[in-house]
Amino acid sequence: GIFAGIVDSIYVGEIKISKNDIGISHKQVNNFIENYAESRGIKGQHLKDTIASLEKEFTVAQDNVWSGADIGVSAKNHHLADLAHHPTPLGLVSALMVQFLRIGTFVNKDGEWHFIFVETTKDDIIAIVIAALITGVLNWLALLAEKKYEDDADTEIPGTLKTLIHIIASSPMIIEVIKCADNWFGHLVSEMGGSKQTAGAGMGIPGVFLSLMYELASLPILKDSGLPAALNSLYVDGKVNLRSEIPIYSVLTKQSVPVIINEVFVRSFFFISRLAGEIKEHNGLMGIDWKNIIPFGNRTIERMITVSSLTFTVADTADAAIHAAVESGGNWVIFSCRFASRFNFVGAGKAGLSVIREISAESEEAELIHEKMLLTHAVTAQAVQIIEEYKAALNARLTEYIAEDITQFLTGLDMMRDGLSTVDADRVIGGNVVIQRVLGREPQFTNQQEFDELMGSDMDLIL
């Protein structure tokens, strides 16, 4: 991380965007418009002719529905207010809403959302309904075929094959979505360099960053903060559009170099050190566990990347702060500008994503541990219950056993007492037999006759 910070300080340094850079970006946009038009078979003698042809080829239904709607949208800011003119994922979603739901989505400078129904013809409805109907029928037939096959073959169709079948069945709607996305992009290209009346110098469309910021600013937590109006002013008054952002993309590309170096260095170090350890452990390449070596997809390398990214950001912040302090002369406005011009935003973004990923992984691990603890507790409780039940049964059995033994023991004593009082030898011997059997012994005689025979034999009397 420190090494990457040094590279950033020496190689990247201060961000500088000059008027010449912006002028070059204007030329790049104009060239892109002409090249794109040529690739679509559209040619014009001048840029304004090319833009006019593109506008005619790639029309959008919501382009002018804001006019007269009294929603706080004007000719100057309608490209920013109309989300379908944003070169972002939400911009594409808004274009799809226009195409399939016939609804235009607008956000004015106060962060207020407005949904306006666009003019819809019978042909528009037929095109949407037919594609949706064919897609529905094909998917229904695919489901019937799958069920029939699975019932006959008594086996389930692989999930990947099912997905492929339904993608093919949904091709009519997919084709319509692709056509809508193509028309959306073509319209954005026609607006990049301004309208045909102001070719190369008009408002153009907002850039990616401005569009994303404006979309975020319209969220409930930010809409009343004044941020939407500030961004609107940047676009309308400051002329900050896609052409203004292109030089920033070049700067961010340059800023990404030390970030990439940082990641490559850490992953390479991880791979080499782990490989050396495995080779030492196995005395060669045989038997190596490559899962422990590949520098992707494990918690150790992700944590190393997080640490190195944060270290790089700390080093970069220190470098930016030192340079800003030296150059500002104590002026906080100059300090802020100088600091921002040297700060590596790509590295900070990478560090932020790494921290978020680390927190997410820790949360998943904590949840997994919690689940294991709950499972262990449940198993333990079940085992304790079984042991308690066994203990209770054992106590009952033992109590019953002891009760039976005591009863037999007392019975034997009573028999012996009765025999002695009545001078009945068999009764005395019988009581003795009962007591011996309670004690786990098998007596040598059970009556007077067996005793006499034992005494007359050569057998030993065992006491």
Side-chain angles (χ1 to χ4, degrees), residues 26 29 33 51 75-81 85-87 187-195 198-207 210-211 235-236 239-244:
H26 277 246
V29 168
I33 294 171
I51 291 176
K76 287 187 175 181
N77 73 348
H78 80 277
H79 285 166
L80 180 64
H85 276 85
H86 288 195
H187 185 75
L188 292 184
V189 173
S190 73
E191 303 276 19
M192 284 181 181
S195 66
T198 58
M203 292 298 296
I205 61 172
L210 184 62
S211 297
Y235 178 72
V236 175
K239 309 298 182 184
V240 176
N241 52 36
L242 179 65
R243 289 166 295 186
S244 305

Side-chain angles (χ1 to χ4, degrees), residues 116-135:
I116 302 177
F117 284 99
V118 302
E119 183 180 351
T120 305
T121 65
K122 181 177 68 175
D123 292 338
D124 294 328
I125 296 175
I126 291 174
I128 297 169
V129 170
I130 288 178
L133 185 62
I134 294 175
T135 297

Side-chain angles (χ1 to χ4, degrees), residues 258-271:
V259 178
I260 294 172
I261 289 175
N262 181 34
E263 184 142 345
V264 170
F265 182 87
V266 173
R267 294 190 187 276
S268 299
F269 176 81
F270 177 89
F271 177 81

Side-chain angles (χ1 to χ4, degrees), residues 131 135 138-139 166-178:
T135 297
L138 290 177
N139 274 281
H166 286 287
I167 289 175
I168 295 173
S170 302
S171 56
M173 279 301 294
I174 293 175
I175 291 171
E176 290 299 317
V177 169
I178 292 174

Side-chain angles (χ1 to χ4, degrees), residues 311-383:
T311 304
F312 165 67
T313 299
V314 169
D316 173 64
T317 302
D319 171 73
I322 292 171
H323 279 85
V326 171
E327 296 170 3
S328 66
N331 187 310
W332 281 102
V333 175
I334 298 176
F335 175 87
S336 301
C337 294
R338 292 297 187 187
F339 179 84
S341 69
R342 292 193 67 90
F343 186 72
N344 192 306
F345 294 95
V346 177
K350 171 63 178 175
L353 290 175
S354 296
V355 170
I356 292 172
R357 186 167 54 242
E358 184 71 22
I359 293 173
S360 176
E362 290 290 345
S363 299
E364 291 177 2
E365 288 185 1
E367 184 177 352
L368 183 61
I369 291 172
H370 180 65
E371 290 176 356
K372 287 183 177 179
M373 289 178 65
L374 291 177
L375 179 61
T376 302
H377 177 73
V379 172
T380 303
Q382 185 178 6

